[in-house]
Amino acid sequence: MENIERLYNNIFQLLRRHHELFSTALPLIASENIVSPAVKEALVSDFGHRYAEGWPGERVYAGCKYIDQVELITIDIMKRIFDAEFVDVRPISGTTANLALYSAFTEPNDIMVALSIAKGGHISMGKKRFWGSAGLVHGLEVEYFEFDEENFNIDVDRSMKKIISIEKEKGKVRLVMFGGSVFLFPHPVKELSDFLKARDIIIGYDAAHVAGLIAGKKFQDPLREGADVMSMSTHKTFFGPQRGAIVSFEKYAEKIKKAVFPGVTSNHHLNTLAGLSIAALEILKFGKKYADDVIKTAKKLAEALYERGFDVVGEKKGFTESHQILVDVTKYGLGGDIERKLENAGIIVNRNLMPWDPQRGLHYENPGGIRLGVQELVRIGMGPSEMIDVARFFERAIIKEENPETIRREIADFRKDYQDVHYCFRSLKKAYEYLPINQ
Ligand SMILES: *Cc1c(COP(=O)(O)O)cnc(C)c1O
Protein backbone atom coordinates (compact mmCIF):
# COMPACT_ATOMS: atom_id res chain seq x y z
CA MET A 1 0.00 0.00 0.00
CA GLU A 2 2.76 2.43 0.99
CA ASN A 3 4.54 1.59 -2.20
CA ILE A 4 1.47 2.38 -4.26
CA GLU A 5 1.10 5.76 -2.60
CA ARG A 6 4.75 6.49 -3.10
CA LEU A 7 4.44 5.71 -6.79
CA TYR A 8 1.29 7.78 -7.01
CA ASN A 9 3.03 10.80 -5.52
CA ASN A 10 6.11 10.16 -7.54
CA ILE A 11 4.23 10.55 -10.82
CA PHE A 12 3.17 14.06 -9.84
CA GLN A 13 6.71 14.89 -8.83
CA LEU A 14 8.00 13.68 -12.18
CA LEU A 15 5.40 15.78 -13.99
CA ARG A 16 6.47 18.85 -12.06
CA ARG A 17 10.13 18.20 -12.73
CA HIS A 18 9.37 17.85 -16.42
CA HIS A 19 7.66 21.25 -16.38
CA GLU A 20 10.65 22.70 -14.55
CA LEU A 21 13.01 21.21 -17.15
CA PHE A 22 11.13 22.76 -20.05
CA SER A 23 10.76 26.15 -18.40
CA THR A 24 14.52 26.42 -17.92
CA ALA A 25 15.86 24.84 -21.13
CA LEU A 26 15.98 25.74 -24.82
CA PRO A 27 13.36 23.49 -26.48
CA LEU A 28 14.46 23.06 -30.09
CA ILE A 29 12.86 19.79 -31.20
CA ALA A 30 11.52 20.55 -34.68
CA SER A 31 8.35 18.48 -34.26
CA GLU A 32 7.19 20.00 -30.98
CA ASN A 33 5.55 23.20 -29.80
CA ILE A 34 3.75 24.61 -26.78
CA VAL A 35 -0.01 25.16 -26.63
CA SER A 36 -1.63 28.24 -25.14
CA PRO A 37 -3.28 28.15 -21.69
CA ALA A 38 -6.64 28.33 -23.50
CA VAL A 39 -5.87 25.11 -25.37
CA LYS A 40 -4.79 23.50 -22.08
CA GLU A 41 -8.16 24.35 -20.59
CA ALA A 42 -9.87 22.53 -23.44
CA LEU A 43 -7.56 19.54 -22.91
CA VAL A 44 -8.71 18.91 -19.33
CA SER A 45 -12.41 19.29 -20.19
CA ASP A 46 -14.92 16.44 -20.10
CA PHE A 47 -14.74 16.19 -23.89
CA GLY A 48 -11.81 13.88 -23.21
CA HIS A 49 -14.07 11.18 -21.77
CA ARG A 50 -16.66 10.96 -24.56
CA TYR A 51 -17.20 9.16 -27.82
CA ALA A 52 -18.35 10.80 -31.02
CA GLU A 53 -17.99 8.30 -33.85
CA GLY A 54 -19.07 9.31 -37.30
CA TRP A 55 -19.64 12.76 -38.78
CA PRO A 56 -21.17 15.61 -36.72
CA GLY A 57 -24.95 15.24 -36.80
CA GLU A 58 -24.67 11.55 -37.75
CA ARG A 59 -23.03 10.20 -34.61
CA VAL A 60 -23.57 6.71 -33.35
CA TYR A 61 -23.66 7.90 -29.71
CA ALA A 62 -25.88 10.33 -27.82
CA GLY A 63 -24.56 13.21 -25.75
CA CYS A 64 -22.70 14.81 -28.64
CA LYS A 65 -24.65 18.00 -29.12
CA TYR A 66 -21.91 20.37 -27.96
CA ILE A 67 -19.16 18.19 -29.34
CA ASP A 68 -20.81 18.38 -32.77
CA GLN A 69 -20.88 22.16 -32.63
CA VAL A 70 -17.20 22.33 -31.72
CA GLU A 71 -16.28 19.90 -34.49
CA LEU A 72 -18.24 21.83 -37.10
CA ILE A 73 -16.62 25.09 -36.01
CA THR A 74 -13.18 23.44 -36.17
CA ILE A 75 -13.85 22.16 -39.70
CA ASP A 76 -15.00 25.60 -40.73
CA ILE A 77 -11.95 27.40 -39.34
CA MET A 78 -9.57 24.85 -40.84
CA LYS A 79 -11.26 25.31 -44.24
CA ARG A 80 -10.66 29.04 -43.97
CA ILE A 81 -7.07 28.63 -42.83
CA PHE A 82 -6.15 26.29 -45.67
CA ASP A 83 -8.60 27.72 -48.20
CA ALA A 84 -9.90 24.18 -48.65
CA GLU A 85 -13.18 22.69 -49.87
CA PHE A 86 -13.00 19.73 -47.53
CA VAL A 87 -11.36 19.11 -44.15
CA ASP A 88 -11.49 16.09 -41.87
CA VAL A 89 -10.28 16.94 -38.36
CA ARG A 90 -10.81 13.47 -36.87
CA PRO A 91 -7.43 11.77 -37.43
CA ILE A 92 -5.83 11.49 -34.00
CA SER A 93 -2.28 12.04 -35.30
CA GLY A 94 -0.30 12.74 -38.43
CA THR A 95 0.43 9.05 -38.86
CA THR A 96 -3.28 8.23 -38.61
CA ALA A 97 -3.99 10.96 -41.17
CA ASN A 98 -1.45 9.36 -43.52
CA LEU A 99 -2.96 5.91 -43.04
CA ALA A 100 -6.40 7.32 -43.86
CA LEU A 101 -4.95 9.05 -46.93
CA TYR A 102 -3.37 5.78 -48.15
CA SER A 103 -6.62 3.93 -47.50
CA ALA A 104 -8.69 6.50 -49.38
CA PHE A 105 -6.49 6.68 -52.46
CA THR A 106 -4.65 3.36 -52.79
CA GLU A 107 -4.98 -0.38 -52.48
CA PRO A 108 -2.44 -2.68 -50.83
CA ASN A 109 0.42 -3.53 -53.23
CA ASP A 110 0.05 -0.21 -55.04
CA ILE A 111 3.24 1.75 -55.59
CA MET A 112 3.84 5.01 -53.75
CA VAL A 113 6.79 7.34 -54.28
CA ALA A 114 8.05 9.35 -51.29
CA LEU A 115 11.31 10.48 -49.72
CA SER A 116 13.50 7.89 -48.00
CA ILE A 117 14.11 8.41 -44.29
CA ALA A 118 17.72 9.46 -44.86
CA LYS A 119 16.54 12.16 -47.27
CA GLY A 120 13.94 13.48 -44.84
CA GLY A 121 11.02 11.07 -45.26
CA HIS A 122 8.96 9.98 -42.26
CA ILE A 123 8.53 6.45 -40.96
CA SER A 124 4.79 6.69 -41.73
CA MET A 125 5.78 6.83 -45.43
CA GLY A 126 8.29 4.01 -45.04
CA LYS A 127 8.77 0.56 -46.51
CA LYS A 128 7.55 -2.59 -44.80
CA ARG A 129 11.12 -3.82 -44.43
CA PHE A 130 11.83 -0.85 -42.14
CA TRP A 131 8.49 -1.24 -40.33
CA GLY A 132 7.21 1.90 -42.04
CA SER A 133 3.43 2.38 -41.73
CA ALA A 134 2.84 2.71 -45.49
CA GLY A 135 4.37 -0.69 -46.16
CA LEU A 136 3.64 -2.49 -42.91
CA VAL A 137 0.05 -1.41 -42.30
CA HIS A 138 -1.35 -0.58 -45.72
CA GLY A 139 0.88 -2.86 -47.80
CA LEU A 140 2.18 -0.17 -50.14
CA GLU A 141 5.29 -0.73 -52.20
CA VAL A 142 7.36 2.33 -51.42
CA GLU A 143 9.79 3.74 -53.96
CA TYR A 144 11.92 6.83 -53.45
CA PHE A 145 12.15 10.24 -55.04
CA GLU A 146 15.58 11.16 -56.35
CA PHE A 147 17.17 13.73 -54.10
CA ASP A 148 19.47 16.65 -54.91
CA GLU A 149 21.82 16.89 -51.93
CA GLU A 150 23.29 20.20 -52.97
CA ASN A 151 19.95 22.01 -53.12
CA PHE A 152 18.56 19.79 -50.39
CA ASN A 153 15.37 19.06 -52.28
CA ILE A 154 13.61 16.54 -54.49
CA ASP A 155 15.38 16.38 -57.86
CA VAL A 156 12.67 17.12 -60.42
CA ASP A 157 14.24 15.75 -63.60
CA ARG A 158 15.77 12.66 -62.07
CA SER A 159 12.55 11.91 -60.18
CA MET A 160 10.51 12.08 -63.40
CA LYS A 161 12.91 9.63 -65.05
CA LYS A 162 12.73 7.39 -62.00
CA ILE A 163 8.92 7.35 -62.05
CA ILE A 164 8.92 6.51 -65.77
CA SER A 165 11.31 3.65 -65.15
CA ILE A 166 9.35 2.37 -62.12
CA GLU A 167 6.19 2.33 -64.25
CA LYS A 168 8.04 0.48 -67.01
CA GLU A 169 9.56 -2.12 -64.71
CA LYS A 170 7.22 -2.54 -61.75
CA GLY A 171 3.83 -1.15 -62.63
CA LYS A 172 1.70 1.90 -62.16
CA VAL A 173 2.61 4.51 -59.55
CA ARG A 174 -0.65 5.29 -57.73
CA LEU A 175 0.45 7.99 -55.28
CA VAL A 176 3.33 10.34 -54.62
CA MET A 177 3.78 11.91 -51.20
CA PHE A 178 5.61 15.18 -50.95
CA GLY A 179 6.68 16.47 -47.56
CA GLY A 180 8.95 15.10 -44.88
CA SER A 181 10.41 15.34 -41.43
CA VAL A 182 13.51 17.14 -42.57
CA PHE A 183 11.99 19.93 -44.57
CA LEU A 184 14.14 22.98 -45.22
CA PHE A 185 12.78 24.18 -48.57
CA PRO A 186 9.37 23.98 -50.28
CA HIS A 187 9.01 20.84 -52.37
CA PRO A 188 8.59 21.03 -56.18
CA VAL A 189 4.87 20.23 -56.25
CA LYS A 190 4.16 22.74 -59.01
CA GLU A 191 7.14 21.57 -61.06
CA LEU A 192 6.01 17.94 -60.98
CA SER A 193 2.27 18.46 -60.97
CA ASP A 194 1.60 18.36 -64.75
CA PHE A 195 3.83 15.35 -65.20
CA LEU A 196 2.10 13.46 -62.37
CA LYS A 197 -1.42 14.42 -63.41
CA ALA A 198 -0.74 13.34 -67.00
CA ARG A 199 0.16 9.92 -65.62
CA ASP A 200 -2.94 9.86 -63.42
CA ILE A 201 -0.92 9.77 -60.21
CA ILE A 202 -2.54 11.11 -57.04
CA ILE A 203 -0.51 13.92 -55.48
CA GLY A 204 -0.32 13.79 -51.70
CA TYR A 205 1.48 16.26 -49.48
CA ASP A 206 2.46 15.52 -45.90
CA ALA A 207 2.44 18.88 -44.11
CA ALA A 208 3.08 17.42 -40.63
CA HIS A 209 5.99 19.76 -40.04
CA VAL A 210 5.03 22.80 -42.03
CA ALA A 211 1.25 23.04 -41.55
CA GLY A 212 1.62 26.14 -39.37
CA LEU A 213 3.78 27.84 -41.99
CA ILE A 214 1.39 26.94 -44.80
CA ALA A 215 -1.45 28.23 -42.62
CA GLY A 216 0.47 31.50 -42.21
CA LYS A 217 0.89 31.71 -46.02
CA LYS A 218 4.66 31.70 -45.69
CA PHE A 219 5.78 28.40 -47.14
CA GLN A 220 4.08 26.92 -50.17
CA ASP A 221 0.43 26.35 -50.99
CA PRO A 222 0.23 22.67 -51.97
CA LEU A 223 -3.48 22.56 -52.86
CA ARG A 224 -3.01 25.42 -55.34
CA GLU A 225 0.22 23.91 -56.70
CA GLY A 226 -1.44 20.66 -57.72
CA ALA A 227 -1.77 18.50 -54.61
CA ASP A 228 -4.98 16.48 -54.39
CA VAL A 229 -4.77 15.95 -50.68
CA MET A 230 -2.72 17.17 -47.74
CA SER A 231 -2.24 15.43 -44.40
CA MET A 232 -0.78 17.02 -41.29
CA SER A 233 -0.03 16.87 -37.62
CA THR A 234 -1.54 19.77 -35.69
CA HIS A 235 1.23 20.17 -33.10
CA LYS A 236 4.50 20.93 -34.87
CA THR A 237 4.55 24.36 -36.48
CA PHE A 238 0.74 24.32 -36.21
CA PHE A 239 0.71 24.93 -32.46
CA GLY A 240 -2.30 22.84 -31.40
CA PRO A 241 -2.69 19.64 -29.39
CA GLN A 242 -1.17 16.38 -30.65
CA ARG A 243 -3.58 15.41 -33.39
CA GLY A 244 -3.93 15.27 -37.20
CA ALA A 245 -6.05 16.50 -40.09
CA ILE A 246 -6.66 15.90 -43.79
CA VAL A 247 -7.35 18.76 -46.17
CA SER A 248 -8.60 18.19 -49.70
CA PHE A 249 -11.28 18.79 -52.34
CA GLU A 250 -15.00 18.07 -52.23
CA LYS A 251 -14.69 15.40 -54.93
CA TYR A 252 -12.61 13.26 -52.55
CA ALA A 253 -14.67 13.98 -49.43
CA GLU A 254 -16.64 10.74 -49.22
CA LYS A 255 -13.72 8.37 -49.51
CA ILE A 256 -11.59 10.35 -47.07
CA LYS A 257 -14.42 10.40 -44.51
CA LYS A 258 -14.86 6.63 -44.78
CA ALA A 259 -11.12 6.03 -44.55
CA VAL A 260 -10.90 8.12 -41.36
CA PHE A 261 -13.97 6.54 -39.78
CA PRO A 262 -14.53 3.63 -39.63
CA GLY A 263 -11.23 3.06 -41.45
CA VAL A 264 -8.52 4.17 -39.05
CA THR A 265 -10.23 5.73 -36.03
CA SER A 266 -13.08 4.98 -33.67
CA ASN A 267 -13.14 7.46 -30.81
CA HIS A 268 -11.26 10.56 -31.92
CA HIS A 269 -10.03 12.16 -28.67
CA LEU A 270 -12.49 14.99 -28.31
CA ASN A 271 -10.59 17.06 -25.77
CA THR A 272 -7.80 17.47 -28.30
CA LEU A 273 -10.44 18.30 -30.92
CA ALA A 274 -11.61 21.15 -28.66
CA GLY A 275 -7.98 22.19 -28.20
CA LEU A 276 -7.53 22.17 -31.95
CA SER A 277 -10.51 24.47 -32.41
CA ILE A 278 -8.88 27.06 -30.14
CA ALA A 279 -5.44 26.66 -31.70
CA ALA A 280 -6.97 27.02 -35.18
CA LEU A 281 -8.57 30.30 -34.13
CA GLU A 282 -5.21 31.49 -32.80
CA ILE A 283 -3.63 30.56 -36.13
CA LEU A 284 -6.38 32.34 -38.04
CA LYS A 285 -5.80 35.50 -36.03
CA PHE A 286 -2.03 35.46 -35.40
CA GLY A 287 -0.74 32.85 -37.87
CA LYS A 288 0.72 35.12 -40.53
CA LYS A 289 2.91 37.05 -38.12
CA TYR A 290 3.88 33.84 -36.33
CA ALA A 291 4.92 32.04 -39.54
CA ASP A 292 6.90 35.06 -40.69
CA ASP A 293 8.67 35.33 -37.34
CA VAL A 294 9.45 31.60 -37.29
CA ILE A 295 11.11 31.63 -40.70
CA LYS A 296 13.11 34.81 -40.00
CA THR A 297 14.24 33.40 -36.67
CA ALA A 298 15.29 30.08 -38.21
CA LYS A 299 17.34 31.86 -40.87
CA LYS A 300 19.02 33.96 -38.22
CA LEU A 301 19.92 31.00 -36.01
CA ALA A 302 21.27 29.12 -39.03
CA GLU A 303 23.47 32.07 -39.97
CA ALA A 304 24.67 32.59 -36.42
CA LEU A 305 25.62 28.91 -36.09
CA TYR A 306 27.35 28.96 -39.47
CA GLU A 307 29.37 32.03 -38.47
CA ARG A 308 30.55 30.18 -35.39
CA GLY A 309 31.91 27.34 -37.51
CA PHE A 310 29.04 24.87 -37.62
CA ASP A 311 28.38 22.99 -40.87
CA VAL A 312 24.81 24.17 -41.41
CA VAL A 313 23.14 22.55 -44.42
CA GLY A 314 21.80 24.62 -47.32
CA GLU A 315 24.25 27.53 -47.23
CA LYS A 316 23.80 28.25 -50.94
CA LYS A 317 20.03 28.54 -50.52
CA GLY A 318 20.09 30.69 -47.38
CA PHE A 319 20.02 27.64 -45.05
CA THR A 320 16.26 27.33 -44.63
CA GLU A 321 12.82 28.53 -45.70
CA SER A 322 11.08 26.74 -42.83
CA HIS A 323 11.33 26.42 -39.04
CA GLN A 324 14.12 23.88 -39.35
CA ILE A 325 17.90 23.92 -39.40
CA LEU A 326 20.02 20.89 -40.17
CA VAL A 327 23.61 20.72 -38.96
CA ASP A 328 26.26 18.16 -39.87
CA VAL A 329 28.09 17.80 -36.56
CA THR A 330 30.70 15.20 -37.53
CA LYS A 331 33.49 17.78 -37.08
CA TYR A 332 32.75 17.63 -33.37
CA GLY A 333 31.37 14.13 -32.84
CA LEU A 334 28.32 12.06 -33.76
CA GLY A 335 24.72 13.23 -33.58
CA GLY A 336 23.70 11.04 -30.64
CA ASP A 337 26.68 12.11 -28.54
CA ILE A 338 26.16 15.77 -29.41
CA GLU A 339 22.45 15.44 -28.56
CA ARG A 340 23.39 14.18 -25.07
CA LYS A 341 26.01 16.85 -24.59
CA LEU A 342 23.49 19.54 -25.49
CA GLU A 343 20.85 18.04 -23.21
CA ASN A 344 23.26 18.20 -20.29
CA ALA A 345 23.74 21.88 -21.06
CA GLY A 346 19.98 22.53 -21.22
CA ILE A 347 19.55 22.53 -24.99
CA ILE A 348 17.01 20.02 -26.25
CA VAL A 349 17.45 18.89 -29.87
CA ASN A 350 17.27 15.61 -31.75
CA ARG A 351 19.93 13.75 -33.66
CA ASN A 352 19.15 13.27 -37.31
CA LEU A 353 20.28 11.16 -40.20
CA MET A 354 21.98 13.16 -42.95
CA PRO A 355 21.30 12.22 -46.60
CA TRP A 356 24.95 11.21 -46.95
CA ASP A 357 25.10 9.19 -43.70
CA PRO A 358 24.28 5.73 -45.12
CA GLN A 359 27.22 6.02 -47.56
CA ARG A 360 29.62 6.85 -44.73
CA GLY A 361 28.33 4.01 -42.56
CA LEU A 362 26.38 6.08 -40.04
CA HIS A 363 23.03 4.87 -38.73
CA TYR A 364 20.04 6.26 -36.95
CA GLU A 365 21.33 5.54 -33.42
CA ASN A 366 24.31 7.80 -33.87
CA PRO A 367 23.98 9.67 -37.15
CA GLY A 368 25.99 12.62 -38.43
CA GLY A 369 23.55 15.42 -37.81
CA ILE A 370 21.23 17.28 -35.51
CA ARG A 371 17.94 18.91 -36.48
CA LEU A 372 16.70 22.10 -34.85
CA GLY A 373 13.37 23.88 -34.99
CA VAL A 374 12.84 27.40 -33.66
CA GLN A 375 9.00 27.39 -33.58
CA GLU A 376 8.70 26.82 -29.83
CA LEU A 377 11.26 29.52 -29.01
CA VAL A 378 9.29 31.91 -31.19
CA ARG A 379 6.06 30.95 -29.48
CA ILE A 380 7.56 31.90 -26.10
CA GLY A 381 8.64 35.26 -27.42
CA MET A 382 12.09 34.91 -28.98
CA GLY A 383 12.97 36.28 -32.38
CA PRO A 384 15.99 36.84 -34.61
CA SER A 385 17.80 39.03 -32.06
CA GLU A 386 17.86 36.27 -29.44
CA MET A 387 19.41 33.79 -31.87
CA ILE A 388 22.92 35.17 -31.40
CA ASP A 389 22.70 34.21 -27.73
CA VAL A 390 21.27 30.81 -28.60
CA ALA A 391 24.06 30.16 -31.13
CA ARG A 392 26.62 31.16 -28.51
CA PHE A 393 25.24 28.53 -26.13
CA PHE A 394 25.70 25.91 -28.88
CA GLU A 395 29.25 27.09 -29.47
CA ARG A 396 30.10 26.89 -25.78
CA ALA A 397 28.58 23.43 -25.37
CA ILE A 398 29.93 21.80 -28.52
CA ILE A 399 32.97 23.70 -29.80
CA LYS A 400 34.44 25.13 -26.60
CA GLU A 401 33.22 22.18 -24.51
CA GLU A 402 32.60 24.31 -21.44
CA ASN A 403 31.17 22.78 -18.29
CA PRO A 404 27.57 21.85 -19.20
CA GLU A 405 26.30 22.67 -15.72
CA THR A 406 27.52 26.26 -16.05
CA ILE A 407 25.83 26.61 -19.42
CA ARG A 408 22.64 25.03 -18.10
CA ARG A 409 22.44 27.58 -15.29
CA GLU A 410 23.02 30.46 -17.65
CA ILE A 411 20.34 29.18 -20.00
CA ALA A 412 17.88 28.93 -17.11
CA ASP A 413 18.68 32.55 -16.34
CA PHE A 414 18.36 33.58 -20.00
CA ARG A 415 14.99 31.82 -20.16
CA LYS A 416 13.52 33.93 -17.32
CA ASP A 417 12.33 36.56 -19.81
CA TYR A 418 10.59 34.00 -22.03
CA GLN A 419 7.86 32.36 -19.99
CA ASP A 420 4.66 33.44 -21.72
CA VAL A 421 2.92 31.98 -24.74
CA HIS A 422 2.64 34.45 -27.60
CA TYR A 423 0.37 34.48 -30.69
CA CYS A 424 -2.71 33.73 -28.61
CA PHE A 425 -5.66 35.71 -27.30
CA ARG A 426 -4.75 35.61 -23.61
CA SER A 427 -1.91 34.09 -21.66
CA LEU A 428 -2.96 34.10 -18.02
CA LYS A 429 -0.74 31.17 -17.08
CA LYS A 430 2.95 30.73 -17.79
CA ALA A 431 3.90 28.60 -20.78
CA TYR A 432 5.29 25.70 -18.76
CA GLU A 433 3.42 26.29 -15.52
CA TYR A 434 2.24 23.11 -13.86
CA LEU A 435 -1.50 23.46 -13.35
CA PRO A 436 -2.54 21.44 -10.31
CA ILE A 437 -6.10 20.23 -9.93
CA ASN A 438 -5.66 17.33 -7.55
CA GLN A 439 -3.27 18.94 -5.09
C1 LIG B 1 5.72 13.91 -37.45
C2 LIG B 1 5.41 13.41 -38.80
C3 LIG B 1 4.34 12.57 -39.03
C4 LIG B 1 3.59 11.88 -37.92
O1 LIG B 1 2.94 12.67 -37.11
P1 LIG B 1 2.36 12.15 -35.70
O2 LIG B 1 1.38 13.19 -35.42
O3 LIG B 1 3.54 12.10 -34.78
O4 LIG B 1 1.77 10.80 -35.92
C5 LIG B 1 4.00 12.24 -40.32
N1 LIG B 1 4.72 12.72 -41.35
C6 LIG B 1 5.78 13.51 -41.17
C7 LIG B 1 6.52 14.01 -42.35
C8 LIG B 1 6.18 13.87 -39.88
O5 LIG B 1 7.27 14.62 -39.71
Side-chain angles (χ1 to χ4, degrees), residues 314-330:
E315 184 206 346
K316 271 187 15 202
K317 296 243 147 192
F319 302 112
T320 183
E321 292 293 331
S322 75
H323 60 305
Q324 289 188 6
I325 297 157
L326 192 64
V327 186
D328 189 316
V329 291
T330 47

Side-chain angles (χ1 to χ4, degrees), residues 47 50-52 56 59 63-72 268 270 273:
F47 269 34
R50 304 302 147 202
Y51 265 80
R59 307 289 199 189
C64 295
K65 98 173 137 177
Y66 302 110
I67 293 166
D68 280 9
Q69 289 182 44
V70 170
E71 188 163 324
L72 288 171
H268 70 97
L270 303 159
L273 168 73

Side-chain angles (χ1 to χ4, degrees), residues 132-152:
S133 324
L136 186 74
V137 184
H138 194 60
L140 290 177
E141 293 297 326
V142 181
E143 297 282 342
Y144 298 139
F145 277 122
E146 293 288 336
F147 193 75
D148 173 353
E149 289 180 2
E150 206 167 292
N151 293 309
F152 216 86

Side-chain angles (χ1 to χ4, degrees), residues 93-95 98 122 124-125 180-181 206 208-209 233 235-236:
S93 71
T95 299
N98 277 348
H122 185 257
S124 64
M125 301 191 256
S181 300
D206 181 337
H209 265 272
S233 303
H235 49 267
K236 298 185 181 181

